[in-house]
């Protein structure tokens, strides 16, 4: 039974094998195959985690998603794939917010106010600052290491459930400045009212790379991110000059970062965003930081320390840990 059921979830509904493995309960044993009550509990457990209406699994229907409403940015795929991504994200958010504090306010501060709050104690707004302020405001930030679909991967998602807002990041980066922009962009979606309860915003592509393809909400979230990170929603790259080679750009960003109170890697990203000279910008970033590292590990190690795991059921806890990449070294 379990083999056929796994095939149904991956082949018929379209979930990735990794998502099904993460959702599969640890208590399931071969002996449970002969127990109708255990089979029923298996289906309810999987439906909660994967965002499927339990009736879909009980009645052996191919697709019947509990949550299928979301704003997708730059998505190319089927409606079923959209529903799977949305349902998965909403389900993870519901589980996550069971173990996090209730947001202190239903509205987020403006980019300017958030920046002022950070700069009161930091030289500039860094990824560490953004993650800290989100958790302080009761907004959990988690990097999804398990994706719902085998071929469709997103960059980020902003979600609101009855438990409050959540932010999911999903693009692997080796330097913090990229993730800082993605996080600031998702904070922007929440602050600007783009996200409502049950209707998440899903950024499939990197907002930094969209250019003219960005819609009004994406442009507004970009402006929010730039204001939060630089102090100016229309930051002018002329402040650090154009036409530079990577070594010159890295030096200029390091020199100007403390003067402008802008994280040096963010300055390099601003250069790439404005000029589209991404090869120059990305090479400069390598010269700004001492060495690359897995940024997702920082995001999720922080999350692991903030989540109140005792408030989440054992079954859901195992699922959330798997989605976050398991134990982090």
């Amino acid at each position: 039974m379990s083999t056929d059921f796994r095939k149904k979830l991956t082949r018929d509904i379209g979930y990735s094998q990794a998502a099904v493995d993460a959702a599969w309960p640890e208590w399931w044993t071969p002996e449970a195959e002969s127990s109708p009550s255990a089979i029923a509990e298996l289906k309810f457990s999987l439906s909660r985690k994967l965002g499927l209406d339990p009736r879909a699994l009980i009645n052996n229907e191919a697709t019947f998603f509990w949550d299928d409403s979301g704003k997708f940015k730059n998505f190319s795929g089927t409606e079923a794939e959209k529903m799977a991504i949305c349902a998965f994200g909403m389900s993870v958010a519901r589980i996550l917010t069971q173990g996090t504090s209730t947001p202190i306010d239903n509205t987020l501060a403006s980019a300017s106010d958030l920046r002022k709050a950070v700069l009161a104690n930091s030289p500039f707004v860094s990824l560490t600052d953004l993650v800290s302020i989100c958790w302080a405001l009761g907004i959990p930030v988690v990097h999804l290491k398990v994706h719902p679909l085998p071929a469709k991967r997103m960059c980020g998602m902003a979600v609101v459930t009855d438990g409050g807002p959540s932010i999911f990041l999903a693009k692997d980066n080796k330097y913090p400045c990229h993730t800082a922009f993605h996080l600031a962009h998702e904070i922007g979606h929440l602050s600007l009212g783009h996200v409502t309860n049950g209707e998440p915003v899903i950024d499939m592509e990197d907002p930094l790379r969209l250019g003219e393809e960005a819609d009004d909400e994406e442009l507004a979230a970009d402006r929010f991110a730039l204001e939060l990170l630089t102090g100016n929603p229309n930051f002018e790259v002329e402040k650090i000059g154009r036409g530079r080679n990577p070594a010159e750009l890295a030096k200029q960003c390091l020199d100007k970062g403390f003067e402008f109170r802008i994280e040096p890697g963010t300055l390099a990203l601003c250069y790439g965003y404005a000029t589209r000279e991404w090869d120059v910008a990305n090479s400069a970033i390598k010269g700004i930081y001492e060495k690359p590292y897995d940024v997702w590990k920082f995001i999720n190690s922080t999350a692991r320390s903030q989540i109140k795991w005792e408030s989440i059921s054992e079954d859901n806890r195992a699922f959330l840990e798997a989605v976050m990449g398991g134990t982090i070294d």
Side-chain angles (χ1 to χ4, degrees), residues 198-210:
E199 188 180 37
V201 170
I202 302 102
D203 286 300
M204 297 301 294
E205 300 294 337
D206 186 341
L208 284 165
R209 302 298 186 115
L210 290 181

Side-chain angles (χ1 to χ4, degrees), residues 8-301:
K8 173 183 173 58
L9 292 169
T10 54
R11 182 185 59 203
D12 297 343
I13 297 179
Y15 279 113
S16 68
Q17 188 63 58
V20 174
D21 289 343
W24 205 267
E26 293 181 346
W27 53 258
W28 182 260
T29 63
E31 290 73 24
E33 297 269 6
S34 60
S35 169
S37 62
I39 292 173
E41 179 55 32
L42 171 67
K43 291 184 176 182
F44 278 110
S45 174
L46 291 169
S47 67
R48 286 193 302 268
K49 298 167 188 171
L50 298 176
L52 288 164
D53 189 315
R55 292 170 293 179
L57 301 185
I58 296 297
N59 299 330
N60 292 318
E61 297 185 29
T63 54
F64 195 176
F65 293 100
W66 191 256
D67 296 293
D68 59 4
S69 177
K71 294 181 183 177
F72 282 80
K73 308 297 183 179
N74 300 282
F75 179 85
S76 58
T78 67
E79 286 302 312
E81 288 173 331
K82 277 187 176 182
M83 290 189 288
I85 293 170
C86 182
F88 183 84
M90 291 291 292
S91 294
V92 175
R94 288 194 186 94
I95 293 170
L96 177 62
T97 53
Q98 290 172 7
T100 54
S101 302
T102 302
I104 61 174
D105 194 352
N106 290 327
T107 58
L108 265 173
S110 67
S112 176
D113 287 343
L114 288 174
R115 180 173 173 81
K116 287 178 183 177
V118 171
L119 293 186
N121 298 294
S122 299
F124 39 63
V125 179
S126 68
L127 175 62
T128 300
D129 296 314
L130 292 178
V131 172
S132 296
I133 204 166
C134 282
W135 281 102
L137 292 171
I139 304 170
V141 179
V142 162
H143 185 106
L144 300 179
K145 288 304 292 178
V146 170
H147 296 260
L149 302 179
K152 291 285 188 301
R153 299 207 168 193
M154 61 186 173
C155 181
M157 177 187 294
V159 185
V160 174
T161 66
D162 290 339
S166 302
I167 293 175
F168 296 129
L169 303 170
K171 186 175 179 62
D172 286 329
N173 291 308
K174 292 294 185 180
Y175 299 99
C177 55
H178 298 90
T179 303
F181 187 89
H182 298 158
L183 178 53
H185 180 94
E186 300 306 324
I187 294 171
H189 280 311
L190 290 171
S191 179
L192 296 169
H194 299 163
V195 189
T196 57
N197 194 335
E199 188 180 37
V201 170
I202 302 102
D203 286 300
M204 297 301 294
E205 300 294 337
D206 186 341
L208 284 165
R209 302 298 186 115
L210 290 181
E212 296 179 356
E213 299 175 21
D215 63 22
D216 289 344
E217 287 189 347
E218 287 298 279
L219 292 173
D222 281 351
R223 286 169 56 82
F224 183 99
L226 284 172
E227 184 173 7
L228 176 53
L229 294 169
T230 72
N232 186 349
N234 302 301
F235 183 80
E236 297 176 0
V237 75
E238 280 75 9
K239 288 186 176 182
I240 55 175
R242 292 175 179 263
R244 296 182 178 277
N245 65 44
E248 290 175 338
L249 179 59
K251 183 178 185 304
Q252 189 76 345
C253 290
L254 287 166
D255 290 343
K256 295 293 185 180
F258 285 88
E259 177 185 341
F260 294 151
R261 303 200 75 178
I262 301 173
E263 199 270 331
T266 296
L267 276 176
L269 282 184
C270 288
Y271 180 91
Y273 186 85
T275 65
R276 299 291 142 178
E277 295 177 8
W278 285 111
D279 289 345
V280 174
N282 287 326
S283 294
I285 287 169
K286 294 178 182 178
I288 289 172
Y289 300 100
E290 290 185 5
K291 61 181 180 180
Y293 68 97
D294 293 319
V295 178
W296 75 268
K297 290 185 177 181
F298 160 70
I299 298 291
N300 285 356
S301 64

